[in-house]
Amino acid sequence: IPASFNAAARDVALQELKLQGYEVVVSDLYAMNFKASATRDDIIGDVRNSEHFQYGEETLHAGMEGRLSEDIVAEQRKVTEAELIIFQFPLYWFSFPAVMKGWIDRVLSQGFAFSLEKMYDNGIFKDKKAMLSFTTGAAPTMFQPDGINGDINVTLWPLQNGILHFCGFQVLAPQIFWSPAHSPPAARAAMLEGWRTRLKGLLAENPLTFARCELFDLSFQGGFLLRPEVKEELATQPLGISTGHHLGKPLPPDNQTRAATAEDERGNGKKACGSIHTV
Ligand SMILES: Cc1cc2nc3c(=O)[nH]c(=O)nc-3n(C[C@H](O)[C@H](O)[C@H](O)COP(=O)(O)OP(=O)(O)OC[C@H]3O[C@@H](n4cnc5c(N)ncnc54)[C@H](O)[C@@H]3O)c2cc1C
Ligand SMILES: *[C@@H]1O[C@H](CO)[C@@H](O)[C@H](O)[C@H]1NC(C)=O
Ligand SMILES: *[C@@H]1O[C@H](CO)[C@@H](O)[C@H](O)[C@H]1NC(C)=O
């Protein structure tokens, strides 16, 4: 929405990345009236099974045959060309607004963005970066582990691990604009300046760390579970592997909100990854 804080945050990124010489392409989903629902209309021509329409199956085949609707293909082209994708949005119900979720449902289709063989750190977009940049209505204390909404790292896990990292993206730490509507103008201006400053070094940042695929038995027979030897080695670790792979232990701090430092890597998480080299 043009007068919104989200539009201001987008414009800062646009200006700053252009200054650095990047070509920046914006998909303004509301302005495009982007279709949010994943339906049969997304396929040009016949479907394989119209009695029982299965979106994933149908779009996989339609994609291979070049029969996905033009609006999906146009967005997929942008993704293919992008080095970095910034998702700029207001947090709605702990998640994306519907139109952005629809973009994800429709554009990141099977075969284009992932397959069972190519996911997470083996994912199709492993040479690309992506990040969330969002505003909240809530104050930061509300999203603390002891705040009324619960830990923001938990909120971010399905979006950053389940969507972005699943497709292989290197996920940069989220840019969170806490409660701009309840902040004085000077604080809002400072948030935008902070974003501008961060953008200057954004492409050089280390991404967030996730549990590597090699830790798991990647077979249906093995249930895609942590390998027994890895589990054994992790048994003595005080913290879980990540926010989602907590193993019933305390979460590694800030796991979804900042990139791990060298010190973190020497600690709990990297040990798990280090064990890969021996198996
Ligand atoms: C359906 C729905 C679900 C929601 N769910 C959640 C939820 O789960 N959790 C949660 O925390 N919140 C939730 N919210 C709140 C929502 O996240 C916030 O309303 C939203 O993030 C605010 O962002 P905005 O861009 O709309 O801000 P705006 O209201 O557009 O902007 C805030 C202020 O910034 C000003 N501004 C605009 N441009 C500039 C500029 N260049 N410089 C300085 N100031 C500027 C505006 O004038 C305004 O005063 C929900 C809201 C809705 C509608
Ligand atoms: C999650 O992220 C926030 C940063 O916004 C941090 O302050 C909080 O303590 C984190 N929680 C955990 C368990 O890491
Ligand atoms: C988050 O989890 C990963 C995966 O185990 C770990 O390597 C990393 O150090 C953790 N991140 C932080 C900031 O602690």
Side-chain angles (χ1 to χ4, degrees):
I1 310 296
S4 69
F5 190 86
N6 271 274
R10 174 205 58 201
D11 289 343
V12 167
L14 194 57
Q15 289 163 5
E16 192 50 51
L17 292 172
K18 275 187 174 166
L19 263 180
Q20 293 174 35
Y22 289 99
E23 187 191 332
V24 188
V25 177
V26 177
S27 293
D28 182 339
L29 301 179
Y30 287 129
M32 292 158 76
N33 197 16
F34 194 79
K35 178 175 174 275
S37 53
T39 67
R40 192 243 171 274
D41 293 343
D42 293 347
I43 291 147
I44 298 169
D46 292 337
V47 296
R48 303 186 145 216
N49 186 345
S50 54
E51 307 256 292
H52 177 189
F53 177 75
Q54 289 170 296
Y55 190 82
E57 291 300 305
E58 296 285 357
T59 52
L60 169 65
H61 293 288
M64 292 189 302
E65 293 158 10
R67 296 192 294 109
L68 284 174
S69 70
E70 189 42 51
D71 64 336
I72 293 178
V73 174
E75 292 304 301
Q76 290 183 338
R77 260 188 227 119
K78 295 179 194 170
V79 172
T80 301
E81 284 170 17
E83 181 178 336
L84 162 71
I85 301 177
I86 302 175
F87 291 85
Q88 179 66 55
F89 60 100
L91 193 70
Y92 275 13
W93 294 112
F94 284 43
S95 186
F96 301 104
V99 69
M100 189 172 276
K101 178 57 162 49
W103 186 97
I104 289 162
D105 291 348
R106 298 177 65 233
V107 175
L108 299 182
S109 62
Q110 187 172 353
F112 172 71
F114 70 93
S115 69
L116 263 191
E117 296 74 43
K118 290 188 173 170
M119 57 181 183
Y120 295 117
D121 49 305
N122 299 321
I124 292 179
F125 299 137
K126 62 177 193 280
D127 296 324
K128 298 180 185 294
K129 294 172 180 171
M131 69 174 287
L132 306 180
S133 175
F134 63 95
T135 55
T136 69
T141 53
M142 295 167 78
F143 270 109
Q144 278 177 198
D146 56 351
I148 183 83
N149 289 341
D151 191 339
I152 190 74
N153 300 279
V154 174
T155 303
L156 295 174
W157 173 260
L159 315 183
Q160 295 186 332
N161 183 72
I163 300 170
L164 302 183
H165 187 54
F166 181 75
C167 296
F169 286 111
Q170 299 169 38
V171 184
L172 299 182
Q175 178 72 22
I176 311 179
F177 300 98
W178 294 105
S179 200
H182 308 288
S183 304
R188 291 200 298 266
M191 286 189 231
L192 292 172
E193 278 322 297
W195 178 217
R196 190 183 297 283
T197 303
R198 183 180 171 197
L199 279 155
K200 294 186 195 299
L202 190 69
L203 273 296
E205 285 183 12
N206 285 327
L208 302 175
T209 316
F210 295 88
R212 296 182 56 80
C213 280
E214 286 93 329
L215 300 180
F216 301 87
D217 180 344
L218 300 180
S219 70
F220 283 103
Q221 193 188 9
F224 294 81
L225 286 164
L226 267 184
R227 295 175 186 280
E229 62 273 27
V230 173
K231 216 169 178 175
E232 200 174 309
E233 180 163 350
L234 288 174
T236 57
Q237 299 292 323
L239 301 177
I241 304 178
S242 67
T243 302
H245 302 109
H246 54 68
L247 310 180
K249 303 181 202 189
L251 307 181
D254 299 336
N255 195 264
Q256 293 295 295
T257 49
R258 66 172 173 87
T261 61
E263 207 161 303
D264 295 323
E265 299 292 275
R266 275 194 297 276
N268 187 65
K270 205 58 181 195
K271 261 219 170 107
C273 301
S275 70
I276 303 163
H277 303 294
T278 66
V279 299

